[in-house]
């Protein structure tokens, strides 16, 4: 990838070595790229293309992506430090998003509104214009595809700013989109950091901004988007609770909680970070859970090793942040395992040297109060808090004791309780006896400070469109002359207004 020329180094977080450099987009390049995107939109080459034509391009792109999964998974592991097993599994599903929205294009229908009188009122969905997407480092290609697929299907022109920490797979995907038949100017990439994002969002030609980021960034960009009267979708922070009831199957619950907490090294907005366990099964759960955590820690190794259980966090800077938050925990906090970055040690799995990378072990902490920073703030790493509860109402109260509301999990074999508790949890996503399940048809987004709007499904497609009503007078010429001349001489006839 040496052909991608410099300014921003892309670092392998497992080794600390540079793997590529990318050009940071200047303010002028941002303006020129958005201007070209607007020209492409105005030309109608994509925005006015038939739904069938756009559908065929999306389907072709899905097949091109399918063929490149092994190569992209390896690249994703190299730039994020996540294990190759995770990347193969995650990226293997991405063609589904393109196929789903290709199918939406073939089946989505306009409708006729039941307007009074001799009028035909048909309502269509039309594209917005130029839309901007700002994507994160934790799931670089997954989140980009989740956003790009509905935006392309709807007929928009798109500019994407991937995270400067992990931009390479998005570059490759946009090259594939051009090969599949997406016209020039319709899908563009603008690499860069904070300033590039600001330049994109401030541009008055941008009609929608779609971001995945932390809540503070979401607030900051949202104020700019609002000033431009543009649309806004923001998937922001999370602090997902997982409630384990006394009647849960504990083996399944332990496996599910471990997956929720430590997949992606805890760097997902729906990571299980606050584990709430009924007091009657707390001891048994903890014995099993800590054994599972030990298995994960002992299985850490080279992220490119298919047997490795958990990879790195994204950077040394982020590693320092996680370490500092854990060390600031209140005096009542008790670290049961983990809690120290991996330095001067090698993997027992494969001998991989952890000392040069951004490795942090799975960490379990008890004794944290709900006022503590560890409870309230998103750590975005493999750090979980475990707390006991006595009854259903206390479990729900603890689960909702957060400013965030993106994901939550419930483990119980009581179906009635599962639905009852799910309805009381303040989160946009709630899993019962599973976690982190996702589908292109299923809306994804948060409540409270976890964001605005939804990804996935018809809701995402419609969020990248706007309705247009066309009202046609189907009355005869004679009736029109008789009934629609508002300024006719006073003939005593009642005429319609509106």
């Amino acid at each position: 990838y040496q052909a991608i020329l410099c300014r921003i180094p892309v670092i392998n977080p497992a080794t600390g070595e540079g793997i590529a450099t990318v050009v940071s987009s200047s303010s002028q390049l941002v303006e020129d790229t958005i201007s070209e995107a607007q020209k492409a939109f105005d030309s109608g080459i994509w925005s006015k293309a038939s739904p069938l034509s756009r559908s065929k391009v999306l389907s072709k792109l899905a097949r091109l992506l399918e063929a490149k999964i092994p190569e992209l998974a390896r690249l994703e592991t190299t730039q994020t430090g996540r294990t190759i097993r995770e990347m193969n599994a995650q990226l293997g599903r991405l063609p589904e998003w393109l196929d789903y929205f290709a199918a939406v294009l073939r089946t989505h229908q306009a409708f006729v509104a039941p307007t009074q009188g001799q009028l035909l009122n048909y309502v269509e969905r039309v594209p917005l214009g130029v839309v901007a997407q700002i994507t994160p480092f934790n799931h670089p290609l997954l989140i980009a595809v989740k956003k790009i697929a509905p935006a392309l299907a709807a007929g928009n022109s798109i500019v994407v700013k991937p995270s400067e920490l992990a931009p390479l797979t998005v570059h490759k995907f946009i090259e594939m989109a051009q090969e599949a038949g997406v016209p020039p100017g319709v899908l563009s990439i603008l690499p860069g950091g904070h300033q590039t994002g600001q330049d994109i969002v401030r541009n008055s030609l941008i009609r929608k901004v779609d971001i995945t980021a932390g809540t503070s960034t979401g607030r900051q960009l949202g104020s700019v988007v609002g000033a431009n009267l543009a649309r806004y979708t923001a998937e922001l922070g999370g602090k997902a609770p997982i409630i384990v009831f006394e009647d849960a199957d504990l083996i399944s619950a332990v496996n599910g909680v471990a997956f929720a907490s430590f997949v992606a090294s805890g760097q997902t907005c729906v990571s299980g970070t606050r584990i709430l366990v009924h007091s009657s099964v707390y001891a048994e759960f903890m014995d099993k859970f800590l054994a599972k955590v030990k298995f994960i820690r002992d299985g850490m190794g080279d992220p490119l090793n298919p047997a490795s259980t958990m990879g790195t966090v994204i950077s040394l800077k982020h590693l320092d942040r996680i370490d500092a938050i854990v060390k600031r925990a209140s005096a009542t906090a008790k670290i049961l395992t983990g809690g120290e970055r991996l330095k001067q040690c090698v993997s027992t799995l494969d001998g991989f040297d952890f000392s040069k990378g951004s490795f942090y072990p799975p960490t379990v902490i008890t004794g944290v109060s709900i006022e503590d920073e560890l409870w309230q703030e998103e750590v975005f790493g493999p750090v979980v808090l475990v707390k006991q509860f006595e009854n259903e109402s206390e479990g729900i109260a603890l689960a909702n004791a957060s400013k965030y509301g993106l994901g939550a999990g419930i483990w119980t074999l009581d179906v009635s309780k599962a639905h009852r508790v799910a309805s009381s949890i303040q989160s946009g996503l709630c899993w019962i006896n599973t976690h982190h399940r996702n589908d292109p048809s299923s809306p994804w987004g948060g409540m409270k400070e976890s964001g605005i709007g939804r990804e996935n499904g018809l809701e995402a497609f419609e969020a990248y469109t706007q309705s247009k009503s066309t009202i046609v007078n189907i009355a005869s010429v004679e009736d029109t002359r008789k009934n629609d001349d508002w300024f006719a001489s006073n003939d005593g006839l009642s005429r319609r207004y509106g």
Side-chain angles (χ1 to χ4, degrees), residues 9 56 435:
K56 288 180 176 179
H435 201 86

Side-chain angles (χ1 to χ4, degrees), residues 295-459:
F295 175 83
I296 295 169
R297 167 62 187 89
D298 291 346
M300 291 175 67
D302 183 349
L304 286 169
N305 183 343
S308 182
T309 52
M310 194 179 86
T312 71
V313 297
I314 189 63
S315 67
L316 289 174
K317 180 180 178 180
H318 190 52
L319 180 69
D320 288 341
R321 177 183 174 275
I322 294 168
D323 198 44
I325 291 175
V326 171
K327 285 181 167 51
R328 287 197 301 269
S330 62
T332 60
K334 182 179 180 181
I335 299 174
L336 301 185
T337 186
E340 292 285 347
R341 60 196 298 176
L342 300 183
K343 298 185 295 185
Q344 307 305 320
C345 60
V346 297
S347 167
T348 57
L349 173 72
D350 56 18
F352 190 80
D353 182 1
F354 292 137
S355 64
K356 296 178 182 179
S358 302
F359 288 90
Y360 199 86
T363 297
V364 180
I365 305 175
T366 60
V368 174
S369 75
I370 64 172
E371 291 80 23
D372 197 287
E373 177 188 23
L374 266 174
W375 181 280
Q376 291 294 336
E377 299 301 330
E378 188 174 38
V379 177
F380 221 62
V383 178
V384 301
L385 315 177
V386 187
K387 201 174 193 66
Q388 300 183 56
F389 68 93
E390 297 296 330
N391 53 52
E392 183 178 312
S393 59
E394 183 187 11
I396 292 169
L398 286 170
N400 288 334
S402 172
K403 61 187 176 183
Y404 297 112
L406 183 57
I410 299 165
W411 290 87
T412 177
L413 296 180
D414 183 333
V415 175
S416 176
K417 181 193 293 180
H419 287 285
R420 184 171 66 245
V421 173
S423 70
S424 299
I425 299 294
Q426 298 164 357
S427 67
L429 299 152
C430 191
W431 291 281
I432 297 171
N433 296 329
T434 189
H435 201 86
H436 212 319
R437 296 298 184 244
N438 192 6
D439 191 87
S441 66
S442 178
W444 180 285
M447 297 179 179
K448 298 192 283 190
E449 293 189 19
S450 286
I452 300 169
R454 296 292 183 267
E455 296 177 334
N456 294 349
L458 295 178
E459 203 167 344

Side-chain angles (χ1 to χ4, degrees), residues 142-165:
L142 167 67
I143 292 177
V145 171
K146 282 173 68 177
K147 296 180 188 300
I148 290 169
L152 271 182
N156 299 285
S157 292
I158 307 160
V159 291
V160 182
K161 191 202 86 65
S163 168
E164 65 275 24
L165 299 174

Side-chain angles (χ1 to χ4, degrees), residues 285-306:
F285 174 87
M286 290 303 290
D287 284 346
K288 289 179 168 61
F289 184 55
L290 290 173
K292 176 65 74 171
V293 172
K294 182 179 186 302
F295 175 83
I296 295 169
R297 167 62 187 89
D298 291 346
M300 291 175 67
D302 183 349
L304 286 169
N305 183 343

Side-chain angles (χ1 to χ4, degrees), residues 27-328:
S27 296
Q28 187 61 55
L29 180 60
V30 170
E31 185 176 338
D32 291 347
T33 301
I34 294 173
S35 177
E36 288 303 308
Q38 184 66 54
K39 288 177 183 176
F41 182 82
D42 292 340
S43 75
I45 192 171
W46 186 255
S47 60
K48 298 289 188 182
S50 70
L52 181 60
S53 297
R54 295 202 299 266
S55 173
K56 288 180 176 179
V57 172
L58 287 176
S59 295
K60 183 177 180 181
L61 180 53
R63 303 290 75 76
L64 291 173
L65 175 58
E66 220 163 42
K68 293 285 188 179
I69 294 302
E71 173 190 335
L72 291 169
R74 189 173 180 86
L75 181 57
E76 201 82 301
T77 288
T78 304
Q79 69 176 351
T80 66
R82 292 180 55 186
T83 65
I84 190 68
R85 181 185 175 206
E86 288 180 9
M87 293 295 85
N88 279 324
Q90 184 179 87
L91 270 58
R93 293 202 58 209
L94 296 193
E96 295 176 31
W97 268 259
L98 297 163
D99 285 330
Y100 173 83
F101 285 103
V104 167
L105 280 172
R106 290 173 178 264
T107 57
H108 199 268
Q109 298 176 343
F111 70 93
V112 175
T115 307
Q116 299 178 48
Q118 296 189 71
L119 299 169
L120 172 66
N121 182 177
Y122 59 90
V123 183
E124 304 168 281
R125 306 296 304 188
V126 298
L128 300 174
V130 182
V131 300
Q133 299 172 342
I134 298 177
T135 61
F137 66 77
N138 56 331
H139 307 290
L141 192 53
L142 167 67
I143 292 177
V145 171
K146 282 173 68 177
K147 296 180 188 300
I148 290 169
L152 271 182
N156 299 285
S157 292
I158 307 160
V159 291
V160 182
K161 191 202 86 65
S163 168
E164 65 275 24
L165 299 174
L168 302 180
T169 49
V170 179
H171 270 278
K172 300 294 287 184
F173 179 75
I174 287 177
E175 291 173 1
M176 280 186 272
Q178 293 165 354
E179 183 182 348
V182 175
V186 170
L187 179 59
S188 306
I189 188 169
L190 286 169
H194 175 78
Q195 186 58 51
T196 301
Q198 290 283 342
D199 290 342
I200 294 169
V201 171
R202 287 195 184 106
N203 193 293
S204 61
L205 293 178
I206 298 294
R207 301 319 309 144
K208 177 182 171 71
V209 174
D210 188 343
I211 71 165
T212 298
T215 298
S216 60
T217 300
R219 277 201 178 95
Q220 182 185 14
L221 294 181
S223 64
V224 179
V225 175
N228 283 340
L229 299 180
R231 301 184 183 210
Y232 193 41
T233 296
E235 199 252 74
L236 305 176
K239 195 76 179 176
I242 302 181
I243 307 177
V244 180
F245 284 100
E246 68 274 22
D247 57 359
D249 174 57
L250 287 188
I251 292 175
S252 297
V254 164
N255 292 338
V257 170
F259 173 77
S261 302
F262 302 122
V263 74
S265 300
Q267 297 170 115
T268 81
C269 296
V270 295
S271 284
T273 57
R274 296 179 296 130
I275 315 306
L276 310 172
V277 184
H278 193 275
S279 59
S280 66
V281 294
Y282 179 81
E284 184 182 357
F285 174 87
M286 290 303 290
D287 284 346
K288 289 179 168 61
F289 184 55
L290 290 173
K292 176 65 74 171
V293 172
K294 182 179 186 302
F295 175 83
I296 295 169
R297 167 62 187 89
D298 291 346
M300 291 175 67
D302 183 349
L304 286 169
N305 183 343
S308 182
T309 52
M310 194 179 86
T312 71
V313 297
I314 189 63
S315 67
L316 289 174
K317 180 180 178 180
H318 190 52
L319 180 69
D320 288 341
R321 177 183 174 275
I322 294 168
D323 198 44
I325 291 175
V326 171
K327 285 181 167 51
R328 287 197 301 269

